[in-house]
Structure formats: structure tokens, C-alpha cells
């Protein structure tokens, strides 16, 4: 099975550690084709097994802030999805969950959103509203 993980960065944190553990085990112990799409311009705290393929979402994005960066990142998320054609998408953390759900809204993608915070935490009116509008698209949500 092809599994595509999305996370905003691979810096040292709990969500990153969980993703690292899942990706390595799904690849090495269970033989799945695992891809991790993220921003590789920041530090990487955990090294993946050689079987796990890491994709740089920010590779061709020149503008790093603002609305142009947001839409460029949405396009990059969709390109990774189209190129890899995964059978399962697993997204980590609310900001990335919202972007993945928005980008893959009209696809038949099977999506698991993984929250690594208090589920009802307030992030701001835009992000909270998008969460409430888009989380129905996820096949499962883990907290």
C-alpha cells in the first residue's frame, strides 16, 4: 500500500516523533511504500529509514510568507498527491490537516487527520472555521 504522510516540518516535537515511528514501522515491518511530504528547509530531528521517501513541499516555492506562500503550498500538496497516487493520506497537526483537506476536497482520497493538541483548542477564527468546515472530509481523526 502507498501511504503519504503530510507534516509542516520535521523539527523535534511529539507529532514529528509519532510520524517518524509510524513511517518507519509501516515501511520496514509491514512493507508499505511510505512517503513523507514536508518542508525540508528546517531542521530534521529524526532520520527516516532508507525505504521511507521524503518529499520537499517547499522546494519550488520562492515566496515564504503570506497568501502567495499559502496558495503555493496548497499547489505543492496537490502535486505530491497526484505524483504519488497514495491509497492512504495521513496528515499531522491542524494547520496541515486543514490544507490537506482543502486541497484534496474533490478527490476520493482516504484521509486520516492526526491532531496533536487539545482538539477543541482555539487557533483563530479562520483556522477554526476551516477546521469545522473541512474535518467532515476526513475518514478518521486521531487526537
Amino acid at each position: 500500500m502507498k501511504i503519504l504522510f503530510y507534516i509542516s516540518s520535521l523539527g523535534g516535537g511529539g507529532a514529528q516523533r509519532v510520524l517518524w515511528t509510524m513511517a518507519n514501522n509501516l515501511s520496514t515491518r509491514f512493507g508499505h511504500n511510505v512517503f513523507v511530504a514536508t518542508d525540508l528547509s528546517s531542521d530534521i530531528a529524526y532520520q527516516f529509514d532508507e525505504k521511507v521517501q521524503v518529499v520537499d513541499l517547499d522546494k519550488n516555492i520562492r515566496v515564504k510568507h503570506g497568501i502567495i506562500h499559502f496558495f503555493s503550498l496548497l499547489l505543492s500538496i496537490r502535486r505530491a498527491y497526484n505524483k504519488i497516487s497514495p491509497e492512504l493520506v495521513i496528515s499531522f497537526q491542524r494547520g496541515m490537516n486543514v490544507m490537506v483537506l482543502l486541497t484534496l476536497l474533490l478527490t476520493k482520497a482516504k484521509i486520516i487527520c492526526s491532531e496533536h493538541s487539545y482538539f477543541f483548542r482555539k487557533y483563530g477564527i479562520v483556522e477554526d472555521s476551516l477546521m469545522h468546515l473541512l474535518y467532515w472530509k476526513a475518514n478518521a481523526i486521531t487526537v
Side-chain angles (χ1 to χ4, degrees), residues 52-63:
V52 176
Q53 299 177 52
V54 181
V55 177
D56 189 359
L57 287 177
D58 262 9
K59 184 178 180 180
N60 296 317
I61 299 176
R62 291 195 171 93
V63 177

Side-chain angles (χ1 to χ4, degrees), residues 5-7 10 15-23 36 48 92:
F5 287 90
Y6 286 100
I7 193 163
L10 291 172
Q16 290 82 357
R17 177 70 180 216
V18 170
L19 184 146
W20 174 80
T21 303
M22 288 177 65
V36 176
F48 289 97
F92 277 71

Side-chain angles (χ1 to χ4, degrees), residues 14-78:
Q16 290 82 357
R17 177 70 180 216
V18 170
L19 184 146
W20 174 80
T21 303
M22 288 177 65
N24 282 337
N25 282 305
L26 287 168
S27 176
T28 59
R29 293 180 73 193
F30 298 102
H32 296 294
N33 295 325
V34 176
F35 301 82
V36 176
T38 188
D39 174 7
L40 291 177
S41 65
S42 59
D43 292 335
I44 299 174
Y46 309 103
Q47 294 302 314
F48 289 97
D49 184 82
E50 59 197 26
K51 293 179 183 178
V52 176
Q53 299 177 52
V54 181
V55 177
D56 189 359
L57 287 177
D58 262 9
K59 184 178 180 180
N60 296 317
I61 299 176
R62 291 195 171 93
V63 177
K64 298 297 181 184
H65 302 310
I67 195 75
I68 294 173
H69 180 258
F70 176 77
F71 284 109
S72 298
L73 194 52
L74 291 179
L75 185 59
S76 187
I77 289 167
R78 185 56 182 250

